[in-house]
Amino acid sequence: MSDTDYNFAYLDEQTKRMIRRAILKGVAVPGYQVPFASREMPMPYGWGTGGVQVTAACLTPEDTLKVIDQGADDTTNAVSIRKFFQKTADVAVTEKTGEATIIQTRHRIPEQALGEEQILVYQVPIPEPLRFLEPSEVETRKMHALEDYGLMHVKLYEDIARHGEIATAYAYPVKVEGRYVMDPSPIPKFDNPKLESAALQLFGAGREQRIYAVPPYTQVVSLDFEDYPFDPSKPAHPCALCGAADSYLDEVITDDAGSRMFVCSDTDYCASRREDAA
Amino acid sequence: MTPLLDVQGLSKRYGGRIGCAEVSFQLYPGEVLGIVGESGSGKSTLLNCLAGHLAPDTGQVIFDTRSDGPRDVLSMSEPERRMLGRTDWAFVHQNPRDGLRMRISAGGNVGERLMAVGAQHYGAIREQATDWLGRVEISEARIDDRPSAFSGGMQQRLQIARNLVTGPRLVFMDEPTGGLDVSVQARLLDLIRGLVRRMGLSAIVVTHDLAVVRLLADRLMVMKDGHVIETGLTDQVLDDPQAPYTQLLVSSVLQV
């Protein structure tokens, strides 16, 4: 126990139990959105209150925590959540993907493949993949229960009709273990193939009060049409710093004359590649 | 011959008030049944009970399914009933806004039922959508427009295309020409009559417009206060009404 006035990892033990129960149910029914009694957290909704609660419920004093925001370890959201757990749980933190036991992420999956001993926690703004097609929660729950997913394809149809291809580039809907259609949180579709992983993946939506999970080695299929198959997309150029051709790139504006460079969005991946090269 | 739909003693009450009471009839393949009556006579309640939108209090609705023969729709499980609702059944709403997705293109609207039963080939879905838009006289060029950009008559035709694309055997229509002006009504009726005859559909048409049933329906059921008060062939009922209320109804039509 650290010498702060907080209980370990901020939340009280009963709350953590409640969240763990929701997580267990989510793991038992992959892709199913489990309702849970989301707590008020000392940060605004949209800053990862769901992910923070899931992380708090999973954290043990022996864990090593890594927090990333859009792939980067040094952005505001990542820094403040990391500090939050350093202060309330006094756990070890790291920026190295391989050394972390719990990784909380916003909008990315690390480039380095995860292992069985790791947990990846996603921050989810809107857990319901059908939400923008069907506003009624009663109806969407019924659609999940009855596996009535024709509407999801209507959305992809609209994409092709309007843009000539499936233009959904992030939060690309997937079908988990041949049953539930799931929103993988707003990760780029580039990351979708990485959803089939050796690590346990947990999704927390604080404002929407939902937790769902993809257990290790679960089948995750991105939805598509037979004649318009899923394409994870690939950047046209390698990373300007480390030269990686297989990673997801951010476009960085370097001056006000229109110069730009494309660099890895995963800062740890980029830095370790440059260290290895040096 | 097995009736396509066999309704036995169907009743629905709203608390103390009667929605519809003790309705029984048979509908045979290829037949169009008209249900007429004034507002509040229970015709929409009856239609919604038949289509599974409302749960009736008593009675049976036996549908001759393709795979298992006659089965009581009301005792089916929800997934089975939904499957029926998007394959063998179709429901045309009075207001096309209730039956269409207004924020999705015309092609997407027509394709939805196909995708709901598992179609996953974009080219094939689009081809069928184009074909059906043609059949309901909507130009192919408008396939990617949203229904909100369509006129009322076009919206209603689009709703019909969207419903008929999976080749249903039974169509429920709730005031299909309501809210349209007379010339558009006439063309729509022509279109529906043509489609029904060509596809050999059975249909149940609820309306208060006697001209609609005169054109479309083979048989007629007149309802008042939740009860069926007269049934018979359409021409017979309209030309030689027996019940006092039917006589009133027929004589209320304005002659131009």
Side-chain angles (χ1 to χ4, degrees):
Chain A
M1 188 69 205
S2 62
D3 54 352
T4 65
D5 296 330
Y6 294 111
N7 187 35
F8 177 74
Y10 185 76
L11 293 172
D12 63 274
E13 294 304 313
Q14 286 304 316
T15 299
K16 284 195 269 185
R17 268 183 79 171
M18 175 271 293
I19 294 171
R20 284 175 198 140
R21 268 200 293 262
I23 292 172
L24 286 176
K25 185 169 177 182
V27 170
V29 193
Y32 172 72
Q33 299 167 47
V34 185
F36 80 110
S38 177
R39 296 291 190 254
E40 197 83 13
M41 296 302 283
M43 61 181 73
Y45 288 127
W47 282 61
T49 51
V52 164
Q53 289 178 77
V54 171
T55 302
C58 294
L59 214 55
T60 64
E62 294 77 39
D63 271 318
T64 307
L65 181 70
K66 171 182 163 83
V67 185
I68 49 175
D69 171 9
Q70 305 267 21
D73 290 278
D74 50 5
T75 44
T76 319
N77 199 214
V79 169
S80 57
I81 291 176
R82 189 162 56 226
K83 268 196 187 149
F84 175 75
F85 281 117
Q86 274 178 299
K87 183 169 181 183
T88 59
D90 196 24
V91 288
V93 294
T94 179
E95 294 193 358
K96 296 259 174 282
T97 304
E99 288 169 12
T101 53
I102 295 185
I103 304 173
Q104 179 169 339
T105 178
R106 170 174 176 266
H107 299 191
R108 272 314 307 278
I109 299 177
E111 303 290 355
Q112 186 184 331
L114 301 177
E116 287 177 8
E117 70 293 346
Q118 291 178 303
I119 300 176
L120 186 59
V121 178
Y122 295 77
Q123 303 170 196
V124 183
I126 295 169
E128 178 53 71
L130 302 161
R131 177 58 67 239
F132 292 110
L133 304 161
E134 174 55 63
S136 157
E137 175 73 17
V138 173
E139 189 55 30
T140 52
R141 280 210 210 182
K142 219 181 254 174
M143 290 162 83
H144 282 295
L146 299 174
E147 239 180 302
D148 191 355
Y149 291 132
L151 202 52
M152 206 71 245
H153 271 95
V154 173
K155 185 190 171 213
L156 301 180
Y157 170 95
E158 286 291 288
D159 264 5
I160 302 174
R162 210 165 299 155
H163 308 287
E165 58 176 359
I166 299 179
T168 305
Y170 66 96
Y172 193 103
V174 293
K175 196 165 209 176
V176 180
E177 206 63 21
R179 178 60 181 82
Y180 284 98
V181 165
M182 184 189 92
D183 180 351
S185 88
I187 58 171
K189 67 177 176 179
F190 178 87
D191 281 344
N192 269 24
K194 284 184 257 172
L195 285 163
E196 281 187 357
S197 161
L200 170 63
Q201 299 171 80
L202 304 173
F203 299 76
R207 181 187 52 205
E208 305 286 326
Q209 314 199 326
R210 294 289 184 276
I211 284 172
Y212 50 103
V214 175
Y217 306 111
T218 302
Q219 183 199 42
V220 181
V221 179
S222 304
L223 299 179
D224 59 3
F225 284 105
E226 284 160 14
D227 44 348
Y228 284 85
F230 172 72
D231 169 25
S233 81
K234 246 192 148 139
H237 15 233
C239 170
L241 296 178
C242 74
D246 58 350
S247 73
Y248 189 74
L249 303 182
D250 280 340
E251 181 181 3
V252 180
I253 309 289
T254 48
D255 59 26
D256 56 3
S259 317
R260 61 196 60 198
M261 63 195 289
F262 290 90
V263 297
C264 289
S265 101
D266 187 335
T267 50
D268 170 56
Y269 183 72
C270 200
S272 56
R273 273 178 57 87
R274 274 179 288 157
E275 266 169 38
D276 290 348
Chain B
M1 193 175 187
T2 342
L4 186 67
L5 195 70
D6 186 356
V7 179
Q8 298 292 340
L10 199 73
S11 297
K12 169 77 183 171
R13 302 180 73 91
Y14 297 107
R17 273 171 289 125
I18 296 172
C20 60
E22 289 299 315
V23 180
S24 302
F25 67 87
Q26 272 109 35
L27 183 76
Y28 287 89
E31 194 180 27
V32 179
L33 173 73
I35 303 176
V36 293
E38 58 193 359
S39 299
S41 59
K43 48 192 194 325
S44 291
T45 299
L46 175 61
L47 194 72
N48 283 320
C49 284
L50 294 176
H53 299 170
L54 280 176
D57 300 327
T58 57
Q60 284 184 309
V61 179
I62 297 160
F63 179 72
D64 187 14
T65 57
R66 266 185 238 231
S67 47
D68 308 325
R71 288 192 57 195
D72 187 1
V73 175
L74 302 174
S75 62
M76 275 185 186
S77 65
E78 175 90 21
E80 285 180 299
R81 207 165 30 228
R82 278 206 172 203
M83 197 53 178
L84 206 57
R86 59 171 110 95
T87 53
D88 267 358
W89 286 10
F91 197 102
V92 178
H93 292 264
Q94 172 177 7
N95 187 345
R97 279 162 198 277
D98 296 336
L100 292 173
R101 290 191 189 277
M102 299 306 283
R103 297 171 59 179
I104 281 169
S105 70
N109 265 292
V110 178
E112 182 179 348
R113 269 171 82 104
L114 295 169
M115 292 182 247
V117 295
Q120 299 210 334
H121 192 285
Y122 175 82
I125 293 166
R126 194 152 171 98
E127 201 172 296
Q128 281 216 50
T130 313
D131 174 43
W132 266 99
L133 288 182
R135 288 204 222 180
V136 296
E137 300 166 12
I138 295 175
S139 152
E140 196 189 324
R142 308 216 49 188
I143 189 167
D144 292 330
D145 290 351
R146 292 179 180 192
S148 46
F150 286 8
S151 69
M154 281 174 84
Q155 287 180 357
Q156 196 56 287
R157 293 205 298 272
L158 179 62
Q159 194 194 175
I160 289 167
R162 164 185 161 92
N163 272 289
L164 298 188
V165 67
T166 47
R169 290 190 297 155
L170 175 60
V171 186
F172 300 100
M173 293 191 225
D174 189 1
E175 308 267 10
T177 59
L180 300 175
D181 63 60
V182 282
S183 58
V184 174
Q185 255 188 38
R187 277 183 56 204
L188 184 69
L189 282 175
D190 241 18
L191 179 83
I192 295 177
R193 193 160 57 159
L195 289 172
V196 166
R197 294 283 177 261
R198 224 174 309 134
M199 297 176 71
L201 296 175
S202 304
I204 297 179
V205 184
V206 161
T207 182
H208 56 249
D209 188 343
L210 294 184
V212 169
V213 285
R214 175 78 91 174
L215 277 170
L216 284 180
D218 304 309
R219 277 197 304 138
L220 203 57
M221 240 165 61
V222 184
M223 290 187 73
K224 186 173 190 322
D225 300 330
H227 295 269
V228 176
I229 53 166
E230 189 164 355
T231 57
L233 297 174
T234 305
D235 292 343
Q236 182 194 333
V237 174
L238 292 182
D239 294 339
D240 182 19
Q242 301 294 313
Y245 172 72
T246 317
Q247 292 172 354
L248 178 74
L249 195 69
V250 171
S251 61
S252 307
V253 176
L254 286 175
Q255 302 295 326
V256 187

